[in-house]
């Protein structure tokens, strides 16, 4: 019986690229309020990551609510959060070669995504860019209750994708490479372009 391999990919910075996030956030404020201020952007970033690291529900809306309260903005935090997610989806791009690599791997490997992120947002970005279908499972840190490099997201992927061998592909050396290896995965570090299928399937070897 041939060896079954599962290949899991990080999302942001690996399968998808975004322009400078401050510009995405600035655009979201402009979409809803007609203008943006640097202090709003800075405050949002501080508050979002505080909520996100704590796995607080709906960190996008919570951080926008913090911005509205801090600067007395007459705005709906939920609408601002929706505008930001919409901007993320519109501005996310798929790097050259990614679709071809996924097509080639899908012939013999089981494919998954293991990503630090809010489930609905990450799935929305995959769907918007046409990358959702190739993956048998999408595991987010919010699903798993912990962010990479914690082993929980990798363990959840292993449970969802039964295989004999697991390879993680990602751009973050700590979260995607060291975290994956500590969880028993092989790992491929993405530095620039996503490697082709032969390199990915070679894993650590």
């Amino acid at each position: 019986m041939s060896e079954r391999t599962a290949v899991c990919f990080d999302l942001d910075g690996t399968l998808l690229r975004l322009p400078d996030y401050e510009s995405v956030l600035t655009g979201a404020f402009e979409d809803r309020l007609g203008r943006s201020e640097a202090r709003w952007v800075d405050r949002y970033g501080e508050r979002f990551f505080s909520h996100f690291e704590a796995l607080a529900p709906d960190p996008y809306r919570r951080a926008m609510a913090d911005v509205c309260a801090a600067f007395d903005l007459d705005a709906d935090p939920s609408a601002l959060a929706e505008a930001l997610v919409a901007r993320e989806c519109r501005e996310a791009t798929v790097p050259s070669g990614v679709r071809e690599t996924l097509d080639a791997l899908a012939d013999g490997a089981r494919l998954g995504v293991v990503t630090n992120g809010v489930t609905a947002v990450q799935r929305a970005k995959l769907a918007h860019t046409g990358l959702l279908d190739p993956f048998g499972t999408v595991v987010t840190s919010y699903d798993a209750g912990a962010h990479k490099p914690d082993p929980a997201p990798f363990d959840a992927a292993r449970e969802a994708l039964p295989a004999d061998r697991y390879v993680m592909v990602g751009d973050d050396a700590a979260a995607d490479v060291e975290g994956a290896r500590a969880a028993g995965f092989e790992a491929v570090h993405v530095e620039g372009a996503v490697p082709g299928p032969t390199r990915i399937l070679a894993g650590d070897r």
Side-chain angles (χ1 to χ4, degrees), residues 38-111:
R39 58 183 185 155
W40 302 352
V41 172
D42 291 343
R43 177 71 173 183
Y44 177 88
E46 293 168 3
R47 298 308 302 146
F48 174 82
F49 285 107
S50 176
H51 295 310
F52 181 77
E53 289 301 320
L55 292 167
D58 202 354
Y60 286 77
R61 187 199 61 76
R62 286 173 180 257
M64 286 300 187
D66 291 342
V67 171
C68 291
F71 301 107
D72 196 25
L73 298 182
D74 183 16
D76 178 358
S78 294
L80 287 170
E82 290 170 4
L84 178 54
V85 172
R87 272 269 174 180
E88 283 194 40
C89 289
R90 288 200 307 273
E91 299 198 25
T93 59
V94 181
S96 176
V98 165
R99 297 184 196 276
E100 294 79 3
T101 292
L102 294 178
D103 287 344
L105 289 171
D107 284 340
R110 305 193 69 188
L111 302 182

Side-chain angles (χ1 to χ4, degrees), residues 25-184:
L25 185 50
T26 296
F29 282 121
E30 290 174 346
D31 288 342
R32 296 299 304 182
L33 302 180
R35 66 189 183 95
S36 179
E37 294 186 13
R39 58 183 185 155
W40 302 352
V41 172
D42 291 343
R43 177 71 173 183
Y44 177 88
E46 293 168 3
R47 298 308 302 146
F48 174 82
F49 285 107
S50 176
H51 295 310
F52 181 77
E53 289 301 320
L55 292 167
D58 202 354
Y60 286 77
R61 187 199 61 76
R62 286 173 180 257
M64 286 300 187
D66 291 342
V67 171
C68 291
F71 301 107
D72 196 25
L73 298 182
D74 183 16
D76 178 358
S78 294
L80 287 170
E82 290 170 4
L84 178 54
V85 172
R87 272 269 174 180
E88 283 194 40
C89 289
R90 288 200 307 273
E91 299 198 25
T93 59
V94 181
S96 176
V98 165
R99 297 184 196 276
E100 294 79 3
T101 292
L102 294 178
D103 287 344
L105 289 171
D107 284 340
R110 305 193 69 188
L111 302 182
V113 172
V114 181
T115 172
N116 283 349
V118 177
T119 303
V121 175
Q122 301 300 75
R123 293 185 72 90
K125 287 187 286 190
L126 283 165
H128 185 82
T129 53
L131 288 185
L132 187 57
D133 288 347
F135 295 103
T137 192
V138 177
V139 174
T140 73
S141 54
Y142 266 67
D143 292 328
H147 300 302
K148 298 177 294 181
D150 190 280
F154 301 105
D155 291 343
R158 184 184 287 109
E159 183 175 344
L161 290 171
D164 303 303
R165 175 177 173 244
Y166 294 86
V167 180
M168 178 69 195
V169 182
D171 68 309
D172 189 311
D176 298 321
V177 177
E178 294 175 17
R181 288 174 177 159

